[in-house]
Amino acid sequence: MAPGRVKKTENEQPSSIEKKSIEVPNPHLEKMKEDILYHFDLGTNSHDFPALFGDVKFVCVGGSPSRMKAFAQYITGELNLGDPKEDIPNICAGTDRYAMYKVGPVLSISHGMGIPSISIMLHELIKLLYHSKCCDVTVVRIGTSGGIGIEPGSVVITSQSVNPTFEPQFEQIVLGKTVIRSTKLDAELAQELIQCSHEINEFNTVIGKTMCTLDFYEGQARLDGAICSYTEEEKMQYLKAAYDAGIRNIEMESSVFAAMCNISGLRAAVVCVTLLNRLEGDQISSTHDVLVEYQQRPQKLVGYFIKKSLMKK
Ligand code: R2B
Ligand code: URA
């Protein structure tokens, strides 16, 4: 630390001119001669991280590899960085666990389904950004979800991710003990994103709580899984209680995403389109074309936000 510089307390925000670097609260990393990011098929001895990724300012993550490739191609066109129809190389081509694409300052990565899958990806992504010496990075999850009490196709910007008992926390078991981590997200970023949605003016967007579950069927109170141990009345009572608690959608990754971004000092948001209204049913029965168009909505919103942010600089 420079002489005369006062050390910040843990939660203190940097001043607007100060660069915000990535935090990796792991003292063991420093001692490692090489760090192999196994699930990305990248390593610090085999790849020059600062040269490859040092300019990254926006990271967009989403479940499906093909959607994240489509997003990278869409961003290519939006930022005038080439022909959006041209193929983009997958940086993680040496593995089929995750797919990663880079377009200028934007990284687009798939994370698979569920907390364990996105958590592994985020450990390696956070280390990738750290080894690359990136600063002032914004991370956005663009995904799908089930809506509660809102018109299908609406986009929800998450104010807070909550667990199935509606609490804003993520429980991680470490050495057999439960550690509780906060799932709050950047309120200012959520406001910037909803402002972008108003400017686009093409689809309904709301800010609300997002419930993160461990399962798509019983975990989300569906009646159409292989196993169901409750009545339709009990299901409706639970979903209505969720609505009354301010929850507007349900998905499967936001809690650990928010928790890990918080700990690493990353500005983060979750933007998910709702594929159905869960107060009206469980099956996703819209046509393929309708679902494809719905899934483009978070991409459009975040693409617009990135373009606007880069123009300000
Ligand atoms: C949304 O959609 C997936 C389940 O269909 C899951 O990854 C999620 O969070
Ligand atoms: N993803 C989910 O997790 N739930 C839904 O209902 C739809 C998409």
Side-chain angles (χ1 to χ4, degrees):
M1 193 186 303
R5 186 85 172 63
V6 179
K7 193 179 184 303
K8 284 188 174 22
T9 59
E10 222 166 55
N11 294 325
E12 202 177 328
Q13 294 299 310
S15 73
S16 55
I17 40 162
E18 199 172 332
K19 296 219 177 295
K20 193 153 191 249
S21 49
I22 314 297
E23 290 164 37
V24 283
N26 176 4
H28 306 286
L29 279 183
E30 259 177 48
K31 293 177 229 145
M32 288 166 50
K33 290 200 174 68
E34 178 178 17
D35 189 5
I36 296 168
L37 308 185
Y38 169 64
H39 302 87
F40 285 165
D41 194 36
L42 298 172
T44 50
N45 286 0
S46 49
H47 296 82
D48 181 347
F49 279 51
L52 286 169
F53 303 108
D55 62 339
V56 169
K57 295 292 174 207
F58 300 93
V59 182
C60 296
V61 303
S64 126
S66 64
R67 209 179 341 113
M68 296 324 288
K69 182 175 186 174
F71 178 70
Q73 288 175 311
Y74 174 69
I75 278 289
T76 302
E78 285 303 287
L79 301 185
N80 274 318
L81 292 173
D83 179 358
K85 288 195 197 86
E86 225 165 76
D87 200 39
I88 303 186
N90 175 7
I91 297 169
C92 297
T95 167
D96 58 4
R97 295 296 185 186
Y98 304 110
M100 183 190 293
Y101 303 92
K102 184 173 181 299
V103 178
V106 183
L107 208 53
S108 176
I109 316 174
S110 69
H111 58 59
M113 283 194 285
I115 290 172
S117 182
I118 194 174
S119 159
I120 296 167
M121 191 285 284
L122 288 173
H123 273 282
E124 296 185 12
L125 167 65
I126 292 162
K127 293 196 294 172
L128 178 152
L129 297 172
Y130 172 75
H131 292 310
S132 306
K133 303 186 170 26
C134 293
C135 60
D136 298 331
V137 178
T138 299
V139 189
V140 185
R141 164 165 146 69
I142 48 175
T144 58
S145 62
I148 307 183
I150 51 177
E151 172 200 351
S154 299
V155 171
V156 179
I157 300 168
T158 305
S159 55
Q160 207 174 44
S161 172
V162 298
N163 65 16
T165 54
F166 310 164
E167 292 152 319
Q169 58 190 42
F170 170 65
E171 291 184 7
Q172 170 82 56
I173 299 184
V174 182
L175 305 183
K177 295 195 183 83
T178 303
V179 176
I180 294 178
R181 294 181 169 154
S182 160
T183 52
K184 75 169 179 350
L185 287 155
D186 193 304
E188 204 177 289
L189 178 57
Q191 285 302 328
E192 282 177 39
L193 285 162
I194 199 142
Q195 176 58 31
C196 288
S197 178
H198 294 150
E199 288 167 23
I200 298 172
N201 197 23
E202 280 181 27
F203 40 82
N204 181 40
T205 304
V206 298
I207 293 183
K209 292 183 192 174
T210 296
M211 179 159 72
C212 184
T213 66
L214 296 175
D215 166 50
F216 183 83
Y217 288 99
E218 275 189 299
Q220 296 188 6
R222 281 188 152 80
L223 300 173
D224 62 343
I227 300 162
C228 183
S229 52
Y230 41 83
T231 63
E232 184 167 4
E233 291 66 41
E234 286 168 327
K235 164 201 159 173
M236 291 309 290
Q237 207 176 12
Y238 180 64
L239 292 181
K240 282 181 182 157
Y243 184 88
D244 291 342
I247 297 168
R248 293 294 174 269
N249 65 339
I250 315 177
E251 49 74 92
M252 298 176 60
E253 293 86 14
S254 60
S255 61
V256 75
F257 171 83
M260 290 182 73
C261 289
N262 268 330
I263 295 172
S264 314
L266 286 162
R267 200 164 95 108
V270 177
V271 178
C272 289
V273 71
T274 58
L275 302 182
L276 76 171
N277 177 2
R278 289 299 315 288
L279 299 181
E280 277 163 15
D282 296 335
Q283 296 250 302
I284 300 174
S285 51
S286 297
T287 63
H288 174 79
D289 288 355
V290 167
L291 293 176
V292 167
E293 194 276 318
Y294 282 176
Q295 289 176 46
Q296 283 165 355
R297 293 178 178 190
Q299 301 190 17
K300 243 189 204 175
L301 175 46
V302 174
Y304 182 95
F305 163 76
I306 292 174
K307 200 172 163 179
K308 187 175 165 186
S309 305
L310 290 171
M311 275 179 350
K312 271 196 241 161
K313 285 186 180 160

